[in-house]
Amino acid sequence: MTPKQFLDLVEVRVVIPSVAPLMVGLAYSQWQYARINWLNAILLIIATVCVHLAVNTFNRYEDNKRQQNNSYLRETVSEATITDKQVLHVAVSLAVIAAIAGISVALLTDYVTWMIGIISFLIGYLYSAGPKPITNTPFGELVSGITMGYFIFVAQLYVNTQIQLSLAILWQWLIVSLPLVILIANIMFANNISDHQEDEENHRHTLVHYLGLSRSKVLYQGLVVLALIEIIVAIVLKYAPLPMLVTLLLAPILIQNARTFTKRPIKEETFVLSIKNLVVLMLGMTITLVVVIMM
């Protein structure tokens, strides 16, 4: 397996949903609590990214067993083949690296990190495996958004601060991370909108199946607007700094990307716009927090 084949197999280009809450969480930890533990943060980043890549790989392995028209490689040539055994080896290797990094950061903190890690691993498995994977249900968007957008954000803040958790703190962190939760869920939504016809043929009943394509497109655009509104909510509640309002200047970019995608929802052409929206918002939130910290 060549490096290019490996990167294609693990779908490294869609790892941004894991990275976004890690970066925003790191900046928020310094702004709100003036605490960063670089060792814990780096270990968590390694664990989180490897878990995401392992889930991607295992998800493609499971899909390959269910679908006749699926392929591990998007750009195949005669000599470029990947076997099921190789795919499983990659998934297991990534999971082992994630486990080592995750256990290390858990040992450096306490039981809260253990709980977050165990729950995340369990959700990651149920998301792609089992008799009824979550990814094949109408709950895929919600689960992916909360798991990656909120859980990872909470984990990053906790391993850096080890603050005493309470419902008030968890609520505050939810409000701050909600724009990320929404746009991460929208990536999954965009994927299902793009794959609607193929999913119907393979009997995968995602949210798009129940809403229909037209209403799904409307909801997709509405969620982008909701993510921007949530930034205002966080500022009004004083959970985020006032200068973060500058992030709203990015609204035309996010909305235009959403419109472009829904006009032509093709995986190879416009799906990347949903990832770009998350990147744009992540950079806006992170840079704003860093600037405020430096002021």
Side-chain angles (χ1 to χ4, degrees):
M1 186 185 303
T2 66
K4 183 178 179 181
Q5 289 176 339
F6 171 79
L7 294 176
D8 184 32
L9 174 65
V10 301
E11 297 187 282
V12 70
R13 58 191 170 282
V14 295
V15 78
I16 293 297
S18 291
V19 175
L22 289 168
M23 295 301 100
V24 177
L26 197 60
Y28 191 78
S29 179
Q30 179 61 34
W31 173 75
Q32 182 71 293
Y33 306 104
R35 299 182 194 175
I36 289 184
N37 184 313
W38 286 108
L39 176 59
N40 288 351
I42 291 171
L43 285 171
L44 182 65
I45 290 170
I46 294 172
T48 304
V49 170
C50 285
V51 165
H52 192 163
L53 296 179
V55 170
N56 286 350
T57 306
F58 194 71
N59 186 35
R60 295 190 67 184
Y61 172 77
E62 288 294 317
D63 281 348
N64 193 63
K65 292 195 301 183
R66 295 186 179 92
Q67 302 173 197
Q68 297 300 317
N69 58 345
N70 192 52
S71 173
Y72 288 129
L73 295 175
R74 288 176 172 76
E75 297 180 9
T76 58
V77 293
S78 57
E79 70 274 15
T81 58
I82 293 180
T83 66
D84 288 349
K85 187 176 181 180
Q86 286 178 304
V87 174
L88 281 178
H89 282 168
V90 169
V92 171
S93 297
L94 287 168
V96 169
I97 295 173
I100 292 172
I103 291 173
S104 297
V105 72
L107 289 172
L108 291 170
T109 51
D110 57 27
Y111 73 94
V112 174
T113 310
W114 283 102
M115 289 177 59
I116 295 173
I118 291 171
I119 293 173
S120 297
F121 263 106
L122 180 60
I123 292 176
Y125 173 77
L126 294 176
Y127 186 80
S128 304
K132 189 67 173 178
I134 296 173
T135 186
N136 293 355
T137 73
F139 306 108
E141 288 81 358
L142 178 64
V143 172
S144 63
I146 292 176
T147 304
M148 289 190 281
Y150 181 54
F151 283 12
I152 293 175
F153 185 79
V154 169
Q156 182 70 294
L157 282 168
Y158 188 75
V159 301
N160 277 281
T161 64
Q162 290 187 258
I163 192 172
Q164 184 68 39
L165 295 181
S166 66
L167 289 178
I169 289 175
L170 291 175
W171 171 254
Q172 176 180 331
W173 293 355
L174 174 62
I175 296 299
V176 174
S177 66
L178 210 48
L180 301 175
V181 171
I182 293 170
L183 290 193
I184 288 172
N186 241 14
I187 291 176
M188 175 67 171
F189 202 20
N191 181 71
N192 289 336
I193 290 173
S194 300
D195 290 344
H196 175 59
Q197 185 60 42
E198 180 181 325
D199 287 344
E200 290 298 312
E201 293 173 359
N202 289 288
H203 307 291
R204 294 182 64 203
H205 296 163
T206 65
L207 183 59
V208 183
H209 169 81
Y210 294 96
L211 291 180
L213 200 54
S214 296
R215 280 179 290 194
S216 294
K217 291 179 180 180
V218 172
L219 178 58
Y220 177 86
Q221 293 190 42
L223 287 172
V224 172
V225 175
L226 181 59
L228 294 166
I229 293 174
E230 286 301 330
I231 291 178
I232 299 174
V233 172
I235 294 170
V236 170
L237 294 175
K238 298 183 179 179
Y239 294 160
L242 183 60
M244 194 173 280
L245 279 173
V246 174
T247 306
L248 299 181
L249 295 176
L250 301 171
I253 298 174
L254 302 180
I255 293 172
Q256 182 56 47
N257 283 345
R259 287 175 176 171
T260 300
F261 169 75
T262 53
K263 286 180 181 178
R264 190 175 172 81
I266 299 177
K267 180 72 73 67
E268 296 78 11
E269 296 180 14
T270 56
F271 169 72
V272 69
L273 293 175
S274 62
I275 299 176
K276 286 183 177 179
N277 270 358
L278 179 61
V279 172
V280 168
L281 189 68
M282 171 193 70
L283 291 175
M285 295 177 71
T286 303
I287 292 173
T288 301
L289 288 168
V290 171
V291 169
V292 173
I293 291 168
M294 297 175 63
M295 289 174 61

